[in-house]
């Protein structure tokens, strides 16, 4: 049964025009709760109160429970018996490093592979996604929308390669990518979008080496931004990942 908000009554508004920013009340219950988690309205490692959310969203408890079950699949919440659901905690510094080590194995290769096939080249679609985000949100702070754009961009790249095992491996770390959007760096997306554009342009130009390096540069820059979320003490011991250029014959 799909989880939807009520669509009748004085509070109902028509669907937004394509490309327009979406108001919270126009989202499904699942998307609204997800946005609350990703925007830190429901902080990490916090009990999810089903009754309170139902009252806050003006819906019954049923769609809220269904939404929370979906969010458990997204690894944004976890069940703790017998205390119910809690939002998942953020990664620590070592876990962040391990996540980026996996991304560095998967994503530069994916960008390179996507840039070699002109008949299914996703470059224009990637550029369109970048332009869509800029036109919709400009330079304003939209942490949740930036997280959604980031996933849409990387998803499109992975899907273009057509390797189901690769896509499945990437989806396992989606929740962690979302969660780290809570950290206060590049909230308006200026740096992220500029890096995405360089990747997209290299893919569209069918330049595998440039696409691979642009993705590698993006990942190291993203890791540095995410590391700002740690305290001074933890940052002091933050494991270093050295940026290296991988040369291929």
């Amino acid at each position: 049964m799909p989880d939807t908000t009520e669509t009748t009554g004085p509070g109902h508004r028509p669907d937004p025009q394509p490309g327009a920013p979406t108001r919270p009340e126009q989202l499904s219950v699942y998307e609204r709760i997800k946005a609350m988690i990703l925007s830190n309205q429901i902080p990490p490692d916090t009990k999810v109160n089903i009754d309170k959310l139902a009252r806050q969203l003006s819906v019954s408890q049923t769609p809220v429970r269904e939404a929370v079950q979906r969010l458990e699949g997204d690894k944004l919440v976890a069940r703790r018996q017998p205390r119910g659901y809690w939002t998942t905690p953020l990664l620590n510094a070592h876990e962040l490093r391990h996540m980026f080590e996996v991304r560095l194995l998967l994503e530069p290769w994916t960008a390179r592979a996507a840039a070699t096939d002109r008949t299914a080249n996703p470059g224009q679609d990637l550029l369109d996604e970048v332009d869509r985000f800029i036109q919709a949100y400009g330079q304003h702070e939209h942490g949740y929308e930036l997280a959604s754009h980031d996933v849409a961009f990387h998803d499109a790249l992975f899907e273009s390669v057509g390797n189901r095992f690769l896509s499945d491996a990437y989806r396992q770390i989606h929740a962690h990518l979302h969660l780290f959007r809570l950290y206060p760096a590049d909230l308006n997306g200026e740096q992220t979008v500029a890096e995405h554009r360089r990747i997209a342009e290299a893919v569209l130009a069918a330049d595998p080496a440039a696409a691979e390096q642009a993705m590698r540069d993006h990942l190291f820059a993203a890791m540095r931004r995410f590391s700002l979320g740690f305290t001074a003490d933890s940052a002091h011991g933050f494991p270093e990942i050295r940026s290296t250029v991988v040369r291929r014959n």
Side-chain angles (χ1 to χ4, degrees):
M1 177 178 180
D3 58 85
T4 55
T5 55
E6 296 179 359
T7 57
T8 59
H12 174 61
R13 300 185 182 183
D15 292 336
Q17 294 299 314
T22 303
R23 297 185 181 89
E25 67 270 19
Q26 294 169 329
L27 300 173
S28 69
V29 172
Y30 163 75
E31 288 290 347
R32 292 168 72 182
I33 299 175
K34 184 177 180 180
M36 294 169 72
I37 294 173
L38 299 180
S39 64
N40 214 19
Q41 293 180 54
I42 306 176
D45 204 19
T46 300
K47 183 174 176 58
V48 178
N49 189 315
I50 301 292
D51 180 63
K52 181 179 178 180
L53 281 173
R55 287 185 280 107
Q56 186 173 352
L57 300 177
S58 300
V59 297
S60 70
Q61 291 189 14
T62 298
V64 173
R65 292 185 186 279
E66 292 173 349
V68 170
Q69 290 171 358
R70 287 183 63 185
L71 291 166
E72 183 181 18
D74 294 337
K75 295 182 172 59
L76 291 176
V77 302
R79 190 194 304 267
R80 295 184 185 177
Q81 296 292 358
R83 297 180 293 169
Y85 289 97
W86 289 62
T87 53
T88 51
L90 295 178
L91 302 181
N92 61 36
H94 289 283
E95 290 169 333
L96 176 67
R97 177 187 177 179
H98 293 161
M99 181 191 74
F100 269 93
E101 286 177 342
V102 174
R103 294 189 69 185
L104 283 163
L105 290 173
L106 298 179
E107 298 188 61
W109 181 91
T110 300
R112 185 181 187 94
T116 59
D117 187 355
R118 287 184 178 273
T119 62
N121 189 296
Q124 189 57 57
D125 290 338
L126 297 175
L127 284 173
D128 289 345
E129 170 57 28
V130 169
D131 290 336
R132 180 203 64 78
F133 177 81
I134 293 174
Q135 292 170 10
Y137 302 106
Q139 298 301 311
H140 301 291
E141 292 187 0
H142 289 279
Y144 171 66
E145 289 81 2
L146 178 60
S148 296
H149 158 71
D150 190 65
V151 170
F153 182 90
H154 289 270
D155 265 350
L157 200 55
F158 273 91
E159 289 299 324
S160 72
V161 177
N163 186 320
R164 179 174 60 84
F165 294 97
L166 184 65
S167 297
D168 288 347
Y170 178 72
R171 289 194 180 97
Q172 292 300 311
I173 58 176
H174 266 188
H176 299 314
L177 299 181
H178 278 307
L179 286 171
F180 267 96
R181 289 298 178 189
L182 297 175
Y183 286 144
D186 195 30
L187 285 180
N188 64 5
E190 182 177 0
Q191 298 171 53
T192 298
V193 169
E195 292 159 13
H196 283 177
R197 185 178 294 280
R198 284 194 289 273
I199 296 167
E201 289 173 346
V203 171
L204 183 60
D207 188 336
E212 180 180 20
Q213 190 58 48
M215 177 61 78
R216 189 177 300 278
D217 292 343
H218 169 53
L219 293 176
F220 281 111
M223 192 203 70
R224 287 191 291 271
R225 288 193 292 270
F226 292 149
S227 70
L228 298 177
F230 294 100
T231 65
D233 290 340
S234 62
H236 179 72
F238 188 79
E240 181 182 5
I241 301 179
R242 297 186 180 276
S243 178
T244 57
V245 177
V246 177
R247 300 188 180 277
R248 298 175 184 271
N249 296 327

